[in-house]
Amino acid sequence: MIQMVTPDAFQIHLQKLPRQDETAIETIYALGNGHFGVRASNPLQGNSSHYHGQPGMFVNGFYDLTALSYGENYSGYAQHSQTICQLPDPRFIIFEIDGIRSDETPFDIKVVDKNLDMKTGVLFEIFDIQSPSNKQFRLTMQSFASHADAHLFVINYSVSALNFTGPITIIKQHPYIDQQIQTSVDDMRAAQRDLTLDRTFIDSPIPTMLISTRKSQLALIVAQQALNENTMQPTIVDDLPSYSKTVDLTAGITQSFAFAYAISYPHQLLDTTLTQAEFANSAKQRLTDQSFNELLNASTAQLAQFWQSSDIDLQGDPTLAQGIRFNLFHLYQAAGNDGRTSIAAKGLTGPGYEGHFFWDAEMFMLPFFIYTQPKLAKQLLLYRYQTLPQARQRARELAVKNGVLFPWRTINGEEASSYYPAGTAQVHINADIAYAVDTYVRVTDDQDFLLQYGYEIIVQTARFWLAYGHWATDTAHAGKFVIDDVTGPDEYTAMVNNNYFTNRMAQNNLSIAVKYGKQLRHTHPEKLIALDVTTAEIDQFNRAADNMYLPFDTQRQIKMQDDVSTTKPLWPIKTTPRNQFPLLLHFHPMTIYHYQVNKQADTVMTDFLFPNDQSAQQLRRDFDYYEAITVHDSSLSRAIFGILAHRLHQSDEAYRYFMETVMMDLTNAQGNTGDGIHAANMGGSWLSLIYGFAGLGLEKDSLNLSPELPSEWTSLRFNIWFQNRQLAITITQSAISVKLLSGEPFHFYLNHQPVSLTSDRLISQLL
Ligand code: BGC
């Protein structure tokens, strides 16, 4: 057994969590590494149809298609949904005692304990199991998804008898019963598709399964290798390639078995370059003579690098300190790092939202990666770059003659949203991606990325705005550039004219197309030629940005969510019974659209993203107005309101929002953690701490920090990367220090006052 010396703040102990249902626990303890994720399900019932949980593994980018059926199928509607496949659970194990097998006759299994060690990435679990013949034994499992080799999931099972002496047989094979996704058909946020996967098995040199999808024609190979401590040879059980061994459980003796699963990247089924046998051979070669500990050490070393760059050490509130680490750990587990995948709304921890990528990735999660794992951030943006052809095609499907339109929800780059008013109409996704590219370039100074990929994304999305919007001729908007018939982030308001957020983000998209266009005209004019960007086009971008219409309610002196938002009646939030939230599960969309009620931060997102746009008084008015009509039915809402409450010095409120954000999944606060983590909200907890309490932001060509800690905390420490230098920042109630860990000295701003980090590499200042 491995002893870990890890401080409490890096552990998630089941005994310390509030009571949860089984599926939420499966999500909380899910392990992953950006390539795949495995839910922490009951290891004996992984393929039983009686099991209430949702066992399984998810592989980033491995999905099947289902034809979307519409009673009225209009032109341009998305025709296929993409659904991430719920794959057989590699934790699954069969025990046989007295001739009774646990997969045929259920054994009684009790969870004794679970602990996630986030320093090593090891999930440690203890189960007490009783066979139908009343033989009791203890199963201890240690498992991890390797951070050193993205293909590996590794498990060690230890068995010791509790009330008997005698033989026990373990059988380890790829589960073969189709696992149904068991979610409520009444909740559109959950996944509801029945996918049939085909499998073929080979037994040599190690038990290996090829799983393929029927419509998307993707294939994945999973090979299983007993690690060297087992002395187990592959065999055939039930006609399936397996490992099996009978051991004697003499009192006091613990028998251990370790296995590694090698999980390939998805590839085209017809692609013959990667065959099942080749993959099995190479997995065997790589894993022969490897032990659980060796594989773990390599993974832990990689994880140590993650924590070195990405940890946040908050002193003064141990629950929060642990909660924030849990969120950072899950973000890391969720992020695709192969340039072909992104971060799903639920990470790789559950089937919710069918495993789709949304704006969540760029607007809520990417900042964490940009500042702490810039290489990974680049991979995430490359995914969008790779899908430009699909986005170009989508714009044409919508009869938009120029530019691209990224899909609202997708895995393969095509639109998968069947309800366009809250889907495709959220064209702000284009500007969100462009905003993320700009942030990435400004923070990393990765000019090469800008040149090769980033500018193309910015120009193509900017072109969309020119083509989709128009110059108004009516008196109310005369001379302005307007964007009609869109949906903003608030999904409780749809298909409006001039959504403030969309227009402001489009304005930014156009402005950065101008900014980088002018820069490249000097440094790389050939790039502009290659993209067909002319001076006249840059002028058009500029004119549309300068004249973008931004609705404003002059009577209330607030930014208006859209052209007519404040004219609608208010939804009676206070008198709506608690059990009728979230509203989307209880009211027809048109009922909701009829009122002023916000699902999530919308207009105030612009106050958050463009802090220099408004005075403190304006922010106060916007905040008060929109907070009163927001019900936070989306998990993406609270973090933004919390950050703004902090800016407005409403400390108690900011703290409450922050607490709810950080603890959302550990407490199952939204009630649907069982379907997977709320990854955007986890990113929101980083935003709250770093953009909020530490007051980090971009200023001119550098950084600004305007820190202010809640009175409950003694200190906040974190590292960030900024333009090829790593900084260690420590903030206390009364002082801040910024230390240059690597890279060149530079100047930045503290509370908007310029300071220089010179050759002594450390600045400490009283606040
Ligand atoms: C939110 C969207 C979000 C999606 C996926 C929805 O409930 O309204 O803003 O992108 O969930 O997290």
Side-chain angles (χ1 to χ4, degrees):
M1 193 161 301
I2 303 167
Q3 297 294 332
M4 300 289 171
V5 195
T6 292
D8 255 11
F10 282 91
Q11 305 207 35
I12 303 295
H13 213 276
L14 183 65
Q15 314 289 348
K16 295 188 185 153
L17 293 184
R19 269 187 76 82
Q20 304 273 349
D21 66 61
E22 197 161 1
T23 57
I25 295 293
E26 288 178 349
T27 299
I28 289 172
Y29 287 103
L31 295 174
N33 60 9
H35 170 39
F36 64 85
V38 178
R39 287 171 67 79
S41 311
N42 177 330
L44 295 198
Q45 293 174 8
N47 67 350
S48 152
S49 51
H50 306 297
Y51 179 44
H52 295 301
Q54 293 197 37
M57 170 168 81
F58 299 92
V59 168
N60 212 346
F62 192 67
Y63 67 93
D64 204 2
L65 299 166
T66 330
L68 287 167
S69 67
Y70 300 97
E72 296 165 70
N73 187 4
Y74 284 86
S75 171
Y77 272 20
Q79 293 303 307
H80 290 100
S81 185
Q82 303 146 35
T83 307
I84 194 164
C85 300
Q86 193 150 356
L87 301 168
D89 180 5
R91 296 159 49 92
F92 180 63
I93 188 166
I94 299 168
F95 292 104
E96 181 176 334
I97 298 183
D98 299 329
I100 311 170
R101 275 173 52 157
S102 59
D103 59 331
E104 292 165 357
T105 313
F107 284 28
D108 187 46
I109 176 163
K110 277 195 189 63
V111 179
V112 179
D113 209 354
K114 282 184 199 268
N115 190 35
L116 172 63
D117 181 329
M118 296 184 287
K119 279 262 176 181
T120 59
V122 171
L123 172 61
F124 184 89
E125 296 162 283
I126 303 173
F127 303 92
D128 278 352
I129 302 176
Q130 179 167 321
S131 74
S133 53
N134 293 328
K135 303 269 167 68
Q136 292 169 4
F137 63 98
R138 173 160 285 193
L139 167 67
T140 304
M141 278 172 69
Q142 286 162 290
S143 51
F144 65 92
S146 175
H147 294 279
D149 179 341
H151 299 290
L152 293 188
F153 184 67
V154 186
I155 323 174
N156 184 73
Y157 302 89
S158 298
V159 197
S160 53
L162 294 174
N163 72 348
F164 73 102
T165 301
I168 183 170
T169 301
I170 74 147
I171 303 168
K172 193 73 185 116
Q173 56 187 204
H174 296 288
Y176 54 94
I177 296 175
D178 265 337
Q179 293 165 352
Q180 301 288 321
I181 297 180
Q182 302 170 6
T183 48
S184 148
V185 284
D186 300 326
D187 186 343
M188 71 292 275
R189 299 166 300 178
Q192 300 147 21
R193 320 228 177 243
D194 273 344
L195 304 178
T196 307
L197 298 168
D198 292 318
R199 295 159 207 199
T200 49
F201 295 93
I202 56 170
D203 58 355
S204 174
I206 49 176
T208 301
M209 166 173 65
L210 182 139
I211 311 175
S212 54
T213 60
R214 296 213 169 153
K215 298 253 172 49
S216 62
Q217 294 278 297
L218 293 173
L220 187 84
I221 303 167
V222 183
Q224 190 183 164
Q225 164 78 38
L227 295 175
N228 67 1
E229 44 265 72
N230 295 18
T231 62
M232 267 191 178
Q233 294 307 319
T235 176
I236 301 287
V237 180
D238 320 318
D239 294 334
L240 279 177
S242 311
Y243 287 97
S244 174
K245 190 170 186 177
T246 301
V247 292
D248 216 21
L249 287 191
T250 308
I253 298 283
T254 299
Q255 299 278 2
S256 293
F257 315 89
F259 298 89
Y261 278 81
I263 301 144
S264 78
Y265 284 126
H267 61 104
Q268 292 301 319
L269 187 55
L270 292 178
D271 186 349
T272 48
T273 55
L274 185 63
T275 67
Q276 194 169 359
E278 264 168 359
F279 185 82
N281 274 317
S282 101
K284 181 170 170 61
Q285 253 173 31
R286 288 217 312 278
L287 292 167
T288 300
D289 298 332
Q290 291 280 340
S291 67
F292 181 92
N293 277 349
E294 280 161 350
L295 294 172
L296 176 58
N297 288 343
S299 175
T300 305
Q302 191 56 39
L303 208 47
Q305 287 187 16
F306 165 74
W307 287 118
Q308 192 284 333
S309 309
S310 306
D311 187 27
I312 295 185
D313 181 11
L314 182 161
Q315 297 289 328
D317 189 329
T319 309
L320 273 181
Q322 183 198 46
I324 183 86
R325 286 189 169 118
F326 174 75
N327 291 352
L328 302 181
F329 182 71
H330 263 291
L331 283 171
Y332 188 50
Q333 294 204 115
N337 49 24
D338 55 6
R340 288 172 301 184
T341 51
S342 183
I343 317 178
K346 303 284 175 188
L348 295 164
T349 64
Y353 284 121
E354 300 189 54
H356 292 167
F357 311 133
F358 294 77
W359 73 315
D360 307 32
E362 282 78 15
M363 295 311 280
F364 289 81
M365 302 185 248
L366 203 69
F368 164 63
F369 292 104
I370 291 176
Y371 278 105
T372 75
Q373 304 282 333
K375 288 200 182 102
L376 188 39
K378 177 177 172 183
Q379 295 299 101
L380 293 166
L381 287 172
L382 278 178
Y383 160 74
R384 291 295 188 181
Y385 180 80
Q386 312 292 354
T387 62
L388 274 173
Q390 294 93 308
R392 183 172 297 113
Q393 169 68 20
R394 185 64 180 148
R396 297 304 96 80
E397 281 165 11
L398 267 76
V400 178
K401 296 199 175 58
N402 209 357
V404 299
L405 176 59
F406 282 104
W408 174 243
R409 49 191 295 174
T410 189
I411 295 175
N412 68 7
E414 288 165 14
E415 179 62 271
S417 158
S418 56
Y419 182 61
Y420 81 88
T424 304
Q426 293 200 52
V427 289
H428 64 82
I429 179 94
N430 258 11
D432 304 338
I433 293 170
Y435 183 99
V437 169
D438 181 44
T439 308
Y440 172 79
V441 171
R442 292 171 71 187
V443 174
T444 60
D445 195 26
D446 186 347
Q447 296 298 328
D448 191 52
F449 176 83
L450 175 71
L451 191 63
Q452 285 195 50
Y453 314 104
Y455 191 58
E456 190 169 340
I457 296 180
I458 291 171
V459 162
Q460 295 294 6
T461 46
R463 282 177 174 158
F464 171 85
W465 299 117
L466 278 192
Y468 192 71
H470 66 274
W471 290 98
T473 48
D474 65 301
T475 39
H477 306 94
K480 289 288 183 186
F481 193 79
V482 293
I483 305 173
D484 290 344
D485 303 308
V486 303
T487 298
D490 164 35
E491 296 184 350
Y492 285 175
T493 310
M495 297 307 293
V496 295
N497 294 346
N498 295 311
N499 167 255
Y500 193 106
F501 176 85
T502 306
N503 286 21
R504 181 64 186 92
M505 290 295 283
Q507 180 181 48
N508 180 68
N509 195 162
L510 292 158
S511 302
I512 58 180
V514 174
K515 171 180 85 171
Y516 290 120
K518 287 184 177 162
Q519 175 189 318
L520 292 174
R521 191 187 290 154
H522 294 295
T523 57
H524 294 88
E526 74 287 356
K527 185 72 199 174
L528 298 190
I529 295 168
L531 293 175
D532 228 357
V533 180
T534 60
T535 312
E537 188 175 33
I538 292 197
D539 286 348
Q540 284 176 21
F541 289 159
N542 208 5
R543 210 159 70 81
D546 279 353
N547 294 290
M548 183 65 70
Y549 182 72
L550 296 171
F552 193 78
D553 182 324
T554 46
Q555 189 201 335
R556 295 177 177 83
Q557 288 290 305
I558 54 161
K559 296 177 177 175
M560 234 169 132
Q561 187 169 331
D562 58 67
D563 272 0
V564 295
S565 61
T566 52
T567 62
K568 292 181 186 171
L570 297 169
W571 182 282
I573 297 176
K574 292 225 163 61
T575 53
T576 305
R578 285 310 311 158
N579 62 9
Q580 295 198 349
F581 292 93
L583 300 179
L584 61 99
L585 296 187
H586 302 277
F587 298 91
H588 189 281
M590 281 178 67
T591 311
I592 301 175
Y593 298 163
H594 224 64
Y595 289 87
Q596 284 191 66
V597 59
N598 285 10
K599 183 179 179 188
Q600 62 204 97
D602 186 304
T603 313
V604 293
M605 272 292 280
T606 66
D607 294 82
F608 160 62
L609 293 170
F610 303 101
N612 298 329
D613 272 13
Q614 57 280 312
S615 64
Q617 293 80 352
Q618 183 62 48
L619 172 60
R620 148 82 41 227
R621 284 191 299 271
D622 292 342
F623 181 86
D624 287 348
Y625 189 83
Y626 287 104
E627 191 187 35
I629 61 167
T630 302
V631 291
H632 309 293
D633 280 353
S634 160
S635 64
L636 278 60
S637 194
R638 287 186 179 78
I640 306 304
F641 276 93
I643 294 170
L644 295 177
H646 172 75
R647 276 194 208 155
L648 288 165
H649 307 288
Q650 293 176 203
S651 336
D652 289 351
E653 208 182 353
Y655 204 68
R656 181 174 53 76
Y657 275 124
F658 179 62
M659 196 77 184
E660 288 169 2
T661 301
V662 175
M663 302 307 288
M664 187 176 286
D665 281 312
L666 281 172
T667 58
N668 193 4
Q670 299 281 111
N672 62 354
T673 292
D675 291 335
I677 53 164
H678 295 83
N681 170 72
M682 289 178 161
S685 65
W686 185 90
L687 295 175
S688 308
L689 269 174
I690 307 300
Y691 286 8
F693 297 115
L696 178 79
L698 290 170
E699 185 148 319
K700 301 188 186 111
D701 57 342
S702 194
L703 287 176
N704 174 63
L705 285 153
S706 297
E708 190 187 334
L709 296 193
S711 55
E712 290 87 345
W713 303 351
T714 46
S715 70
L716 180 67
R717 277 210 324 243
F718 58 95
N719 294 349
I720 54 167
W721 283 95
F722 183 69
Q723 298 183 350
N724 304 310
R725 52 179 75 76
Q726 195 183 27
L727 306 171
I729 297 166
T730 305
I731 301 165
T732 64
Q733 289 292 338
S734 55
I736 178 168
S737 81
V738 178
K739 188 174 175 196
L740 192 58
L741 296 180
S742 71
E744 297 299 310
F746 79 130
H747 75 275
F748 63 103
Y749 301 87
L750 268 182
N751 288 319
H752 309 285
Q753 298 305 313
V755 282
S756 286
L757 204 50
T758 50
S759 46
D760 57 5
R761 307 174 83 84
L762 176 71
I763 280 190
S764 296
Q765 227 176 62
L766 288 180
L767 290 171

